[in-house]
Amino acid sequence: MFKILLDAYGADKGPEVVIETAITALNKHNNISIEIVGKVEELQQLLVGKQYDESRLSLCNATDVITCNEAPVEAIRTKKNSSLVVCIDKLKTGEYAGMVSAGSTGAVLSGAVLKLGRLSGLSRPALAPMLPTIKGGRVLLIDCGANMDCKPINLCHFALMGSEYMRVMQNINQPRVALLNVGTEEAKGDELRKATYHELQKLPINFVGNVEARDVLNGDCDVIVTDGFSGNVLLKSIEGTIINLVKVIKSGLKSTTAGKIGGLFAKKPLKNVLKRYDYQAYGGSPLLGTKQIVVKAHGSANLVGLLASIEQVKDYAERDLLSKIGNTLSEVKFETAE
């Protein structure tokens, strides 16, 4: 039985969607139990009239909430009875498979690193969301916001973790690892990218060179390595482009009679295509490199997104992902580790 911690707060849709998702997850998977951390009285009210296995759903009281407007480190240190901090403290005991939170990204990252610690030999943990490719596969983006300023060693660690992640979770024997850059040539990019390129060539990974932002969804690589600043810009650019493109297509189809008629025929195939690019279906971003499993769900996560995040924790625990990443890191020795 995999016991999973769920932060009741942080999601834009409030604790209501958290409760609904927890019940859905329990009904779908009989090998998990869920502990929701938050204001118990409020959560109990939301559970009234719901049908669920009471033996596999428990509540833990936490009366405070960390908001996105607070300084992350300060909030972690002062709001000890917040739902997020209580989740992390309980996770540290080792009694749980992992946790999911849709709360402040900065607070989740700060709390996880400060309280859980890093895997041995790792310079920095990294957020690693999965993106869909036009070939129907998936590509892992690492990092997407945990580390704004990086050194080559950080990106090398990201590459090792990302490669092992895709090997374990996607059953890819030799994941193709690429470095996000402004051109495909070896000499392109800033000093960080140039230095990292040469270091990645030395690692026991399938490094395939640089990849430009316009090609990240082509399906020609399995892992895209970058610093958190560039990765976050890339991720939000892709999400924003898809959202606005959908709006443009819908508006175009509704603008004329011919468009409306054509839209009737195109509705089903278009829906199937858009479903593939629905970021909710891919769950949250795992924080790879901490000593326990932490999945950062989107603040805008709905039931689909939160359910996928819970399933990520279950799948990671089932495949013993953290131990395998730890073994990979221990096999490669670096001169320094920040």
Side-chain angles (χ1 to χ4, degrees), residues 125-168:
L127 284 169
M130 197 76 80
L131 303 176
T133 70
I134 59 174
K135 295 180 180 179
R138 297 184 177 189
V139 58
L140 189 76
L141 174 64
I142 183 170
D143 180 24
C144 80
N147 305 281
M148 294 296 129
D149 299 296
C150 289
K151 296 179 180 180
I153 190 171
N154 305 136
L155 270 61
C156 286
H157 284 160
F158 299 166
L160 288 167
M161 290 195 294
S163 180
E164 183 64 6
Y165 180 100
M166 293 302 281
R167 187 190 71 80
V168 174

Side-chain angles (χ1 to χ4, degrees), residues 148-152 155 179-183 185-198 210 225-227 229-230:
M148 294 296 129
D149 299 296
C150 289
K151 296 179 180 180
L155 270 61
L179 177 65
L180 183 66
N181 209 332
V182 295
E185 298 87 354
E186 180 178 342
K188 284 293 182 91
D190 56 12
E191 293 306 313
L192 173 61
R193 251 53 60 163
K194 291 177 183 178
T196 300
Y197 189 101
H198 294 296
N210 292 324
V225 176
T226 188
D227 61 280
F229 183 89
S230 302

Side-chain angles (χ1 to χ4, degrees), residues 105 109 126-133 137-146 162 165-166 170 216-217 222-228 230-236 238-239 279-288 294-298 309 312 316:
T105 300
L109 297 177
L127 284 169
M130 197 76 80
L131 303 176
T133 70
R138 297 184 177 189
V139 58
L140 189 76
L141 174 64
I142 183 170
D143 180 24
C144 80
Y165 180 100
M166 293 302 281
Q170 296 295 313
V216 297
L217 301 185
D222 304 300
V223 179
I224 296 173
V225 176
T226 188
D227 61 280
S230 302
N232 194 267
V233 171
L234 173 65
L235 179 64
K236 290 178 179 176
I238 291 173
E239 290 178 349
Y279 67 88
Q280 296 281 4
Y282 293 86
S285 299
L287 180 59
L288 299 183
V294 177
V295 173
K296 171 60 182 74
H298 291 275
S309 297
Q312 283 176 273
Y316 298 160

Side-chain angles (χ1 to χ4, degrees), residues 3-267:
K3 194 170 185 178
I4 299 171
L5 287 160
L6 195 53
D7 184 359
Y9 302 104
D12 295 344
K13 298 181 184 298
E16 293 85 356
V17 70
V18 174
I19 290 290
E20 196 66 32
T21 302
I23 293 173
T24 301
L26 292 175
N27 290 335
K28 184 177 180 181
H29 303 284
N30 58 15
N31 65 338
I32 67 170
S33 64
I34 294 176
E35 184 170 341
I36 306 176
V37 181
K39 300 173 184 177
V40 166
E41 290 186 5
E42 179 181 13
L43 299 176
Q44 287 175 332
Q45 288 297 316
L46 294 173
L47 284 169
V48 173
K50 306 289 187 182
Q51 298 296 317
Y52 61 94
D53 183 351
E54 295 184 12
S55 68
R56 291 193 291 130
L57 179 62
S58 58
L59 304 178
C60 177
N61 195 42
T63 57
D64 221 337
V65 178
I66 294 178
T67 69
C68 292
N69 298 321
E70 299 178 75
V73 175
E74 182 67 17
I76 291 296
R77 288 175 174 167
T78 58
K79 290 193 169 182
K80 299 185 184 299
N81 200 37
S82 63
S83 58
L84 175 58
V85 172
V86 172
C87 268
I88 296 174
D89 284 340
K90 292 179 78 70
L91 182 61
K92 191 175 180 179
T93 65
E95 298 175 9
Y96 301 83
M99 65 169 279
V100 175
S101 176
S104 161
T105 300
V108 172
L109 297 177
S110 299
V113 173
L114 289 172
K115 289 178 169 287
L116 300 178
R118 301 170 295 187
L119 292 174
S120 179
L122 178 68
S123 56
R124 298 182 189 178
L127 284 169
M130 197 76 80
L131 303 176
T133 70
I134 59 174
K135 295 180 180 179
R138 297 184 177 189
V139 58
L140 189 76
L141 174 64
I142 183 170
D143 180 24
C144 80
N147 305 281
M148 294 296 129
D149 299 296
C150 289
K151 296 179 180 180
I153 190 171
N154 305 136
L155 270 61
C156 286
H157 284 160
F158 299 166
L160 288 167
M161 290 195 294
S163 180
E164 183 64 6
Y165 180 100
M166 293 302 281
R167 187 190 71 80
V168 174
M169 300 308 302
Q170 296 295 313
N171 299 313
I172 301 174
N173 187 38
Q174 290 288 325
R176 298 160 297 173
V177 180
L179 177 65
L180 183 66
N181 209 332
V182 295
T184 58
E185 298 87 354
E186 180 178 342
K188 284 293 182 91
D190 56 12
E191 293 306 313
L192 173 61
R193 251 53 60 163
K194 291 177 183 178
T196 300
Y197 189 101
H198 294 296
E199 293 302 316
L200 291 177
Q201 288 180 313
K202 303 174 185 177
L203 296 181
I205 58 174
N206 182 19
F207 179 53
V208 295
N210 292 324
V211 63
E212 295 184 76
R214 64 184 177 185
D215 297 322
V216 297
L217 301 185
N218 283 357
D220 297 327
C221 53
D222 304 300
V223 179
I224 296 173
V225 176
T226 188
D227 61 280
F229 183 89
S230 302
N232 194 267
V233 171
L234 173 65
L235 179 64
K236 290 178 179 176
S237 296
I238 291 173
E239 290 178 349
T241 299
I242 292 173
I243 291 171
N244 285 295
L245 184 60
V246 171
K247 291 179 181 179
V248 170
I249 292 173
K250 287 183 177 180
S251 176
L253 291 175
K254 293 177 181 179
S255 63
T256 64
T257 301
K260 292 177 181 178
I261 296 174
L264 294 175
F265 292 99
K267 185 175 182 179

